[in-house]
Amino acid sequence: MSIAGRTAIVGVGSTPYYKRGRSAPQTLPELVCKAIIAAVEDAGLSMTDIDGFASYSGGFDTPYLMETLGIPEVRFTSMLTGSGGGSAGAVGLASAAIVAGLADVVVVIGGVQQALQRFGSVTQSYESLPENAWYEAAGLVGPGHMFALLARRHMHRYGTTREHFAEVAISTRLNAMSHPDALIRKPLTREDYFAAPMLSDPLCLFDFCLESDGAIAVIVTSIERARDLRRKPVVVRGCTQGGEAGWGRSLYWMNMPEDQFLTSGNRSVARDLWRQTGLQPSDIDVAQIYDHFTPMVIAQLEDFGFCGPGEGGPFVASGAIRFDGGSLPVNTDGGQLSGGYIWGMSHIREGVAQIRGDAANQVSGARLALVTGGPSSIPMSALVLGD
Amino acid sequence: MAAIAQFPAESLFTLCTDAWTQPWWDAAREHRLTAPCCEDCGRFRMPPTPFCPHCRSQRLRWPTLSGRGTLFSYTVVTRAVIPAMENCIPYVPALVDLDDAPGARLTTAIVGVPIDAIAIGAAVTVVFEDRSDGVVVPRFTLATA
Ligand SMILES: [Zn+2]
């Protein structure tokens, strides 16, 4: 039994994206509730239809959400381990529950509010653990410091350059400029990119995603029920999660064998995704690639097979990921680099918009959209949405 | 005049150990660099964990290493994201493959050398940072410096 093609996303709800701290005085659960209310409305369902919750990255307090939203009963409430790598995979978790008959209408939720703790220094909020002493002692305070170590090795081994990182940043910004919900819509030139301050060499300001607040919810139900609802069903063609031990705790570990150190940790997830869906990379019309850092977009393009290992830099330099004329438009909503960082959920939202055909930057005739989660500690995850 | 790689601020790190990591830090206090080596299959790992991932053995030995290594990757931190970083930038978090402990890669920092002289593949050698709280942290410098 496979989950492929058995469920659909029938509703999406989002709060505005806020610059870090600007969502106050709303609380994070309040933002999540607003997203759920909007998703239920979008689907044409009622709040009392929800009987399942799926999340990731620590999740939210299901009984609190039931209490405040008046959801009478749940039959399924589960979460992927790990962090942002599980975002796309939470849709698969919802699908698995529905296909197994454990729930009928599952809401997938994700949200972030950085007023109390910036992600840029997130390790300062972690409890000191014996196994983390080495990266703490090294002064690796935020994910950017850690991913810079991966990026530099990729440059050394494959000849990837800052020009390639710049192309990811610029291509993504161009998409943000024509998307009404994107937080940063100023033009970004190559000159701007190279004039920006280095934060953690080889990563400069524009290689980092935004620090933002917001929440997004998507509603998943069976393909049969989806056909009776008011929005065009967006079919979950497949969804996979996991990772190899050689990637493991990845940036908190750094002992990956070199062939895995150079990846985004998504190789096994990609292999399983193509196997589960019967699709191949050339079938994908548009991709929402988890873009917390520009080099990780390049590594994921390699892992998912849009180009060979080490070829991600030249691939993006060819214009392949541009909305305008690219063979694989990537992060058509401005991504997390320029649109808003909602811990991966914005990528699902945009994947749905592309398949519904009502995206702000609509890829003409898009029928299959890839959405990825991670790179981070296991799990990474990936999702194919289709019409 | 190229900037010199600083020591990451002491306040960024408070040592926390368990029975498996304590011997590594004890060795550092004696200015010895070590890495856990499985007593049964002879393979190294870092950080120290309760089981050998190759054979599940819990038996370890802690050989004194030469302190020589090869720089696998590094970054140059040039922006303080928290106040504790303000007086130590630029500093250079680094990954070092230990020459005589194959399979063990140390997350550490390169210190005391011109940043322009640092490159992946460089031969590096350990130096010990004696902190005010009594903790000793192995750092690395360029072997030619
Ligand atoms: Zn062993």
Side-chain angles (χ1 to χ4, degrees):
Chain A
M1 185 169 70
S2 168
I3 61 169
R6 303 280 302 277
T7 64
I9 293 177
V10 295
V12 177
S14 177
T15 67
Y17 305 160
Y18 300 89
K19 290 182 180 170
R20 176 173 60 87
R22 302 269 177 86
S23 61
Q26 300 166 100
T27 65
L28 181 55
E30 181 180 354
L31 293 172
V32 170
C33 287
K34 286 182 176 179
I36 295 172
I37 290 167
V40 166
E41 164 70 20
D42 183 52
L45 288 163
S46 99
M47 192 61 73
T48 55
D49 289 320
I50 292 176
D51 65 352
F53 283 87
S55 62
Y56 61 98
S57 205
F60 300 93
D61 187 16
T62 294
Y64 177 84
L65 297 175
M66 293 172 70
E67 177 186 334
T68 186
L69 290 173
I71 296 170
E73 181 177 331
V74 292
R75 299 195 292 144
F76 181 83
T77 171
S78 294
M79 156 174 98
L80 270 70
T81 55
S83 61
S87 48
V91 172
L93 181 64
S95 298
I98 291 160
V99 171
L102 300 177
D104 291 325
V105 178
V106 180
V107 60
V108 177
I109 47 179
V112 61
Q113 193 178 43
Q114 302 192 45
L116 297 178
Q117 177 59 53
R118 300 178 59 171
F119 276 27
S121 56
V122 69
T123 67
Q124 296 292 298
S125 71
Y126 296 170
E127 184 187 0
S128 282
L129 292 172
E131 62 269 30
N132 293 346
W134 287 268
Y135 78 69
E136 290 174 8
L140 294 169
V141 172
H145 302 141
M146 299 166 172
F147 281 111
L149 295 165
L150 273 63
R152 188 181 297 280
R153 188 72 192 182
H154 200 279
M155 297 168 84
H156 172 79
R157 177 67 179 77
Y158 293 134
T160 311
T161 66
R162 290 192 64 216
E163 292 282 355
H164 299 145
F165 304 162
E167 167 57 21
V168 174
I170 291 166
S171 173
T172 310
R173 177 63 61 84
L174 283 169
N175 297 339
M177 285 168 61
S178 51
H179 197 292
D181 295 338
L183 279 175
I184 309 291
R185 294 193 277 156
K186 297 193 296 262
L188 174 66
T189 66
R190 186 182 167 282
E191 290 66 36
D192 296 333
Y193 177 91
F194 282 98
M198 277 293 189
L199 303 190
S200 191
D201 191 329
L203 302 185
C204 75
L205 177 67
F206 294 117
D207 295 310
F208 283 62
C209 68
L210 306 176
E211 292 181 306
S212 46
D213 299 351
I216 293 174
V218 304
I219 294 178
V220 184
T221 193
S222 68
I223 194 79
E224 294 80 14
R225 186 162 183 179
R227 291 199 183 99
D228 296 332
L229 295 174
R230 69 184 186 89
R231 298 300 302 253
K232 171 184 167 182
V234 173
V235 179
V236 177
R237 292 288 302 267
C239 188
T240 56
Q241 58 157 295
E244 300 167 80
W247 178 261
R249 293 194 294 126
S250 63
L251 59 161
Y252 302 114
W253 181 49
M254 295 293 186
N255 269 257
M256 300 85 97
E258 179 166 30
D259 72 312
Q260 295 194 50
F261 192 94
L262 294 164
T263 73
S264 67
N266 265 301
R267 290 192 312 194
S268 68
V269 171
R271 176 202 65 210
D272 288 351
L273 185 72
W274 303 133
R275 192 178 288 164
Q276 186 190 84
T277 58
L279 298 168
Q280 52 191 356
S282 59
D283 294 324
I284 298 297
D285 300 308
V286 57
Q288 312 306 326
I289 307 277
Y290 198 98
D291 56 337
H292 43 8
F293 299 97
T294 57
M296 291 297 108
V297 174
I298 290 170
Q300 286 175 87
L301 290 166
E302 297 171 5
D303 277 9
F304 281 92
F306 295 105
C307 56
E311 296 171 359
F315 181 79
V316 301
S318 75
I321 66 170
R322 293 268 177 135
F323 174 69
D324 188 6
S327 58
L328 181 76
V330 167
N331 296 346
T332 41
D333 64 342
Q336 303 182 128
L337 292 167
S338 291
Y341 179 83
I342 315 295
W343 225 333
M345 289 300 293
S346 60
H347 290 315
I348 302 173
R349 180 189 182 201
E350 175 66 5
V352 170
Q354 288 289 342
I355 299 304
R356 284 177 170 178
D358 60 5
N361 298 312
Q362 180 63 47
V363 173
S364 174
R367 300 193 61 186
L368 290 168
L370 173 70
V371 181
T372 75
S376 58
S377 293
I378 287 174
M380 272 58 61
S381 62
L383 165 70
V384 174
L385 299 173
D387 62 1
Chain B
M1 186 68 191
I4 301 295
Q6 306 293 304
F7 285 79
E10 285 194 15
S11 60
L12 290 175
F13 167 60
T14 304
L15 180 61
C16 165
T17 63
D18 62 21
W20 295 96
T21 68
Q22 186 69 44
W24 195 89
W25 295 101
D26 287 346
R29 282 184 85 126
E30 299 164 4
H31 286 206
R32 285 192 302 114
L33 184 69
T34 185
C37 180
C38 175
E39 191 82 82
D40 287 294
C41 77
R43 285 188 264 201
F44 286 91
R45 64 183 185 268
M46 273 302 290
T49 46
F51 295 91
C52 171
H54 306 287
C55 74
R56 265 58 67 186
S57 170
Q58 292 200 280
R59 302 201 308 141
L60 284 178
R61 61 189 184 86
W62 297 89
T64 297
L65 303 174
S66 66
R68 288 191 293 272
T70 306
L71 186 57
F72 184 78
S73 196
Y74 67 98
T75 179
V76 184
V77 178
T78 45
R79 169 73 69 92
V81 293
I82 52 173
M85 296 163 67
E86 276 164 13
N87 293 320
C88 67
I89 51 175
Y91 65 89
V92 184
L95 305 176
V96 170
D97 283 335
L98 301 173
D99 287 355
D100 42 5
R105 182 179 302 142
L106 202 58
T107 300
T108 179
I110 304 295
V111 295
V113 298
I115 285 170
D116 289 355
I118 300 170
I120 287 181
V124 295
T125 189
V126 73
V127 292
F128 292 92
E129 177 190 0
D130 296 298
R131 292 171 31 131
S132 58
D133 61 358
V135 172
V136 176
V137 183
R139 307 292 193 186
F140 284 78
T141 188
L142 295 176
T144 51

